[in-house]
Amino acid sequence: MRKMKLLTVILAVCMMLTSCQGVQQEDEKASIRIGISLYRGDDTFINNIRGILEEKAKEYERENDIKVTLDIQDAKGSQNIQNDQVERFISLGCDVLCINPVDRMDASVIIDRAMTAHVPVVFFNRQPVEEDMNRWDKLYYVGVDAKETAVLQGKMVVDLYRKQPEAVDLNGDGVVSYVMLEGETSHQDSLIRTEWSVQTLKDGRVPIEKITGGIANWERSQASALMEQWLTEYPDTIELVISNNDDMALGAIDALEREGISRINVIGIDGTTPGLEALENGKLLGTVSANKERYGSVIMELAAGCALGEELPEEYPLEDGTYYWTPQEILIHKIEENP
Ligand code: GAL
C-alpha cells in the first residue's frame, strides 16, 4: 500500500515536471524578438524594405500564432552607433539580428558580438566581405545580384534602341551621349552597376559616348546638384542619364524640370515608391525593381527560422547555405505614350 502511495507521488511529480517543461517550451516558441538596424533610416529604398519587413512580421504572427517583436533602429550612417545598437539588442535578449551594415568592410565587431552571444545575424542590402561571412554558419545575407541588376538596366536601353533608335539617340547623330550618376564608392553595388550597365550597352551595340559622371551617394539632392551643373556645362548634349538608383534618377529629373527639359531619358534602379510614381507618369523611362515582397519575406523567414531553430522554406534556396539573391525585373514606361 505504502509502495502504491509512493509510486503515485512519483508519478504525480513526474507529470508536473513534464507539464511544466511543456509550458516552458510553449513559452519559448510563443514569441520572438528581432533586432533590426538600418544603415540610414532616411534612405528611400531601405525605408521601403523596412515597411515590408513590418508587414511581413505581422503576417508571420498571424499565420504562425507567434508574437513577433521588431526593434528597429536607425544607425544614421555611423558604424559606432550601429555597434552600440547591436550591443543593446543582445542585452535585451533578441533571438536574432537583421543588420543593414553601415560599413560593409567592417562587420567584424558585429559578428564577434553575435558569435559570443550565439545570436544569428541576417545581413541585408550591404554585403559584408566574404572573409567575414565565412566566420560562422549562422550568418546570412539577403540582397540582389548587382551584375544582374546592371545587365537588366543596360538591356532595357538596348531593347528600346533596337525597336526605336530615335527614342534613344534623340538628335539622330548616330551616338547616344550619356551621363552617369553613381552611388557610394564603398558600396558593392555602385562599381558593378556602373561597369555592367555600360558594358551591356556596348555588347548590345548601342553607340554610346560618356559625357561625364559623378558620385551622388544614392541621394536625390546631390544628384540634382550634379545634373544642374552638367546641364550648364554641356548644353543640348545629354541624351541619356544612367543612374545607379531611383533616388538619384529623381534628382536628375528635378534638375531637368527646373530647366523645363523633358526629352532626356532617365533610367534608375530599385523600383521605390517615388520611382514607380515617376515611371507611371513618364518622367522616368525605366527602372530595375527587386521583388521587395520576396526580399522582406526571406529576411523575415530566415530571422524567424534562426530564432525558432527551423529551416528556411524550400522555395527560398540559399547559395552556399548563406546567400539569398532576390529576383528582379525591368519596369519600363511605355514609350508610345512618351511625348
Ligand atoms: C542600394 C540601393 C540604393 C540604396 C543603397 C543603400 O542597393 O539601390 O538605393 O538604398 O542600396 O545601401
Side-chain angles (χ1 to χ4, degrees), residues 39 43-46 100 125-126 144 184 187 189 193 218 244-247 269-270 272:
Y39 94 105
D43 178 294
T44 311
F45 176 69
I46 295 300
N100 173 217
N125 168 259
R126 301 161 74 88
V144 290
E184 289 163 280
H187 199 297
D189 288 345
R193 287 181 186 178
W218 310 120
N244 280 176
N245 78 341
D246 282 355
D247 253 17
I269 285 171
D270 282 343
T272 57

Side-chain angles (χ1 to χ4, degrees), residues 59 85 105 119 150 168 171 178 191 242 266 285:
E59 212 172 287
Q85 289 169 348
M105 314 287 231
V119 178
V168 184
N171 60 10
Y178 75 93
L191 271 173
I242 307 176
V266 183
L285 171 67

Side-chain angles (χ1 to χ4, degrees), residues 160-339:
L160 181 60
Y161 184 77
R162 284 192 186 148
K163 273 189 256 158
Q164 278 175 267
E166 71 287 354
V168 184
D169 177 12
L170 303 175
N171 60 10
D173 65 351
V175 178
V176 179
S177 307
Y178 75 93
V179 293
M180 172 70 76
L181 283 165
E182 295 182 42
E184 289 163 280
T185 41
S186 58
H187 199 297
Q188 79 279 358
D189 288 345
S190 307
L191 271 173
I192 301 175
R193 287 181 186 178
T194 303
E195 181 186 342
W196 282 95
S197 57
V198 171
Q199 190 56 46
T200 307
L201 288 171
K202 288 182 184 158
D203 293 346
R205 298 211 186 81
V206 178
I208 49 170
E209 181 195 27
K210 182 172 180 178
I211 302 296
T212 186
I215 293 160
N217 297 305
W218 310 120
E219 281 188 38
R220 184 167 180 159
S221 56
Q222 289 189 33
S224 168
L226 276 181
M227 188 67 196
E228 190 171 305
Q229 189 188 319
W230 295 340
L231 287 171
T232 316
E233 278 172 35
Y234 310 98
D236 302 322
T237 315
I238 305 165
E239 292 165 292
L240 174 67
V241 179
I242 307 176
S243 172
N244 280 176
N245 78 341
D246 282 355
D247 253 17
M248 295 188 294
L250 291 170
I253 292 168
D254 292 339
L256 290 171
E257 284 189 330
R258 283 198 297 274
E259 295 298 318
I261 303 170
S262 63
R263 271 193 93 207
I264 297 180
N265 288 316
V266 183
I267 53 173
I269 285 171
D270 282 343
T272 57
T273 312
L276 293 180
E277 214 173 278
L279 185 78
E280 185 66 32
N281 58 36
K283 291 179 182 175
L284 186 68
L285 171 67
T287 188
V288 179
S289 179
N291 182 332
K292 287 174 224 47
E293 287 288 319
R294 178 76 67 83
Y295 205 120
S297 288
V298 174
I299 295 177
M300 188 58 222
E301 292 279 352
L302 257 177
C306 286
L308 301 168
E310 288 168 4
E311 295 284 315
L312 185 69
E314 268 176 22
E315 62 203 275
Y316 305 135
L318 292 183
E319 187 185 292
D320 298 334
T322 305
Y323 299 91
Y324 181 79
W325 303 113
T326 313
Q328 26 190 355
E329 61 177 338
I330 293 175
L331 300 176
I332 189 157
H333 182 78
K334 282 197 202 78
I335 201 75
E336 296 81 29
E337 290 170 15
N338 267 352

Side-chain angles (χ1 to χ4, degrees), residues 56-68:
K56 295 292 168 194
K58 290 206 188 93
E59 212 172 287
Y60 193 90
E61 268 190 343
R62 273 195 309 274
E63 286 170 7
N64 297 279
D65 202 18
I66 284 172
K67 175 145 181 48
V68 180

